[in-house]
Amino acid sequence: QVQLVESGGGLVQAGGSLRLSCAASGGTFSSYALGWFRQAPGKDREFVASINGSGGMKYLGDSVKDRFTIARDNAKNTVYLQMNSLKPEDTAVYSCAAVIGGAYYTKAHFYDYWGQGTQVTVSS
């Protein structure tokens, strides 16, 4: 069983930055593909970013690819989402997800384990 715990969310002004972290426990961290998703009130869950087990393959959603980056530290069992130039439309609950094996996935249904989420609010 894999447990995921996100942190780093909060309130930030438009144009600001935040770094989200997702700490994992259980299993072999380097064998997981990891993803970040977000969901705003009244909207569908949206893919944000994903990364494979070694960290060598990354993919970012179109709405964030010029502003966000994803990285992982397998020694610390942690995946990060660096968010720059934040916009009010980035406001959402951000969740990390994991699946054992694979490269990277952009669809939520591929992931087996989910964190509880962390709120990001961007004020205008």
Side-chain angles (χ1 to χ4, degrees):
Q1 188 74 12
V2 177
Q3 290 82 41
L4 303 170
V5 180
E6 302 95 335
S7 60
L11 174 64
V12 63
Q13 289 188 332
S17 298
L18 281 175
R19 188 178 79 159
L20 304 183
S21 299
C22 176
S25 60
T28 303
F29 185 72
S30 59
S31 68
Y32 310 150
L34 296 161
W36 285 98
F37 291 79
R38 66 185 183 186
Q39 188 164 21
K43 295 188 176 181
D44 292 335
R45 181 182 289 167
E46 179 187 7
F47 167 77
V48 177
S50 61
I51 189 168
N52 73 332
S54 68
M57 299 176 68
K58 307 174 185 179
Y59 190 79
L60 293 163
D62 288 342
S63 62
V64 304
K65 62 182 178 182
D66 296 327
R67 301 181 293 122
F68 292 9
T69 57
I70 186 171
R72 65 190 295 161
D73 185 337
N74 287 346
K76 295 182 178 180
N77 288 5
T78 302
V79 61
Y80 304 98
L81 184 68
Q82 178 66 45
M83 307 185 295
N84 299 327
S85 302
L86 283 160
K87 305 175 181 180
E89 50 264 44
D90 294 318
T91 295
V93 174
Y94 285 71
S95 299
C96 68
V99 58
I100 296 175
Y104 53 83
Y105 303 102
T106 64
K107 302 295 185 184
H109 66 82
F110 283 115
Y111 292 88
D112 296 321
Y113 305 100
W114 291 82
Q116 82 289 348
T118 186
Q119 177 70 47
V120 172
T121 303
V122 185
S123 62
S124 57

